[in-house]
Amino acid sequence: KAIESPNKDDDTQWLTYWVVYGVFSIAEFFSDIFLSWFPFYYMLKCGFLLWCMAPSPSNGAEFLYHRIIRPFFLKHEAQLDSVVKDLKDKA
């Protein structure tokens, strides 16, 4: 029902959240062995994810997406497209 709703603002908010969550998960995969040794890491991670999905004007997912993720992907869009095309051709 959410995808078919006439109001697309909530869809954009959640799609932005999942993009940020995916990037966070990839970064965490490689750094979790080191980060898990820090005190309160899991509490900070939970707080970070709550900040990212909070329905407020200071939404963390939108902030991180527009300030960090989007500019990075726009800068490297051609390279990423060629990597995806090469992987598709090999598959």
Side-chain angles (χ1 to χ4, degrees):
K1 285 194 167 210
I3 294 173
E4 300 300 324
S5 69
N7 184 6
K8 298 295 182 191
D9 293 336
D10 60 342
D11 301 344
T12 304
Q13 176 189 354
W14 286 110
L15 289 172
T16 304
Y17 168 76
W18 285 112
V19 167
V20 171
Y21 181 79
V23 170
F24 173 75
S25 295
I26 291 169
E28 185 187 32
F29 176 78
F30 294 107
S31 62
D32 188 46
I33 193 164
F34 303 112
L35 293 176
S36 63
W37 287 91
F38 286 103
F40 304 109
Y41 166 67
Y42 292 104
M43 290 183 88
L44 292 172
K45 176 183 169 182
C46 183
F48 170 75
L49 293 175
L50 285 172
W51 175 63
C52 284
M53 69 175 132
S56 67
S58 61
N59 185 302
E62 287 187 32
F63 176 79
L64 292 172
Y65 178 76
H66 290 292
R67 292 279 179 113
I68 298 170
I69 297 171
R70 187 171 187 267
F72 177 81
F73 279 110
L74 289 177
K75 183 178 178 183
H76 301 287
E77 184 176 12
Q79 296 164 337
L80 292 170
D81 287 343
S82 68
V83 168
V84 170
K85 184 182 179 302
D86 291 343
L87 290 173
K88 183 180 172 184
D89 291 342
K90 288 180 182 179

